[in-house]
Amino acid sequence: MQQIIVLAFQVSIVLTVFGFGLKATFDDLLYLFRRPGLVFRSLLAVFGVMPILAIALAYAFDFRRTVEIALIALSISPMPPLLPRQEAAAGERGAYALGLMALLGAAAIALVPLWVELLSGLLGRPLGMAPGAVAAVVVLYALLPLAAGVVVSSKLPALAARIRRPITLAARALLALAVFVLLAFTFSALWALIGDGTLIAMLLFLVAGVAVGHVLGGPNAEDRTVLALSTACRHPAIGLSIAATNYPDMRFGAAVLLYVLLGFAVGGAYVSWRKRREARILSA
């Protein structure tokens, strides 16, 4: 069942990223690379602050082994959230989000293996995330579908316009189905995690990620929102794929599901706060 759920998450993220690419052009992908300061702050938020926070949480809380691996895998996952409500609420300007996706995907091929080595030494135990496996996950589930979507958008705009909505709906349906099945099969394990400090630790991880991304996102409100959600609410497919591929005998479903549910709550609360704040500014 875990393999089926992993597959559903993987197909969901491929379709989501492909659909995201269908809205884009090659110029959109260059948006971020013309802004070196934003590039540095984005990498610092996603690949600098959050893995360090995961280490601190691993030391501060007596996690179960599966929770520790899942949280660390999520902390070095390069994917932006792209969850349906949060994606729509982040605004229609997608240039930064597209550039960020390409940047994080490319940087992850080098930075994730480096972080794996550092984390293995700091935690005193091998994490088993092979560089080749990480690169394969990033290329297959991020860079290739994004590039394919951009190519279709640029070369066949009429086709891209026709298939964009069905692709998006299919991706959201698969993600919702995977979460529902995961909830049905892991409810007792999920409930057990709530009382052992995991809930508090993941909330701290998500809230801190939103705050870090918001601060480092710069003066543009939409950029801040995209980086805040991308820093905190990583898409679960990458983290679950890395963890399950390298630790096939362990069950990560409950920990990842708890993260997904909390991510919806924290991300939704942040977007609502940002909208209310903008409304007050506009009405002032």
Side-chain angles (χ1 to χ4, degrees), residues 1-185:
M1 180 56 63
Q2 177 167 294
Q3 291 176 345
I4 294 174
I5 294 170
V6 169
L7 178 61
F9 275 129
Q10 291 169 342
V11 174
S12 169
I13 197 172
V14 167
L15 292 177
T16 300
V17 176
F18 178 67
F20 204 21
L22 291 175
K23 306 175 185 177
T25 65
F26 288 105
D27 287 339
D28 290 333
L29 294 178
L30 299 177
Y31 169 84
L32 184 58
F33 296 94
R34 299 189 184 105
R35 294 163 175 78
L38 188 55
V39 168
F40 173 77
R41 296 196 305 273
S42 301
L43 291 174
L44 177 64
V46 176
F47 286 122
V49 176
M50 299 312 288
I52 293 174
L53 178 60
I55 295 171
L57 291 173
Y59 277 111
F61 291 83
D62 186 19
F63 289 137
R64 303 182 188 191
R65 178 73 168 134
T66 53
V67 174
E68 180 180 294
I69 294 170
L71 188 61
I72 289 174
L74 289 165
S75 76
I76 59 177
S77 171
M79 287 303 304
L82 300 179
L83 300 177
R85 290 183 183 176
Q86 294 168 350
E87 178 188 4
E92 293 303 320
R93 178 187 171 202
Y96 174 45
L98 283 164
L100 182 62
M101 185 185 302
L103 171 69
L104 297 181
I109 296 175
L111 294 179
V112 170
L114 176 61
W115 263 117
V116 166
E117 292 299 321
L118 292 173
L119 290 170
S120 297
L122 288 171
L123 296 176
R125 64 192 70 173
L127 297 178
M129 300 177 189
V134 173
V137 169
V138 170
V139 171
L140 184 59
Y141 302 120
L143 299 183
L144 283 182
L146 177 61
V150 172
V151 168
V152 173
S153 175
S154 300
K155 302 298 183 182
L156 301 168
L159 176 63
R162 284 199 305 271
I163 67 175
R164 185 183 305 146
R165 181 170 174 76
I167 290 290
T168 301
L169 291 177
R172 293 178 179 181
L174 268 177
L175 181 60
L177 179 62
V179 171
F180 177 78
V181 173
L182 197 57
L183 179 60
F185 280 90

Side-chain angles (χ1 to χ4, degrees), residues 228-253:
L229 295 175
S230 300
T231 302
C233 308
R234 321 292 177 90
H235 197 294
I238 297 293
L240 184 58
S241 295
I242 292 174
T245 298
N246 293 279
Y247 296 89
D249 297 330
M250 293 187 180
R251 300 181 181 224
F252 301 97

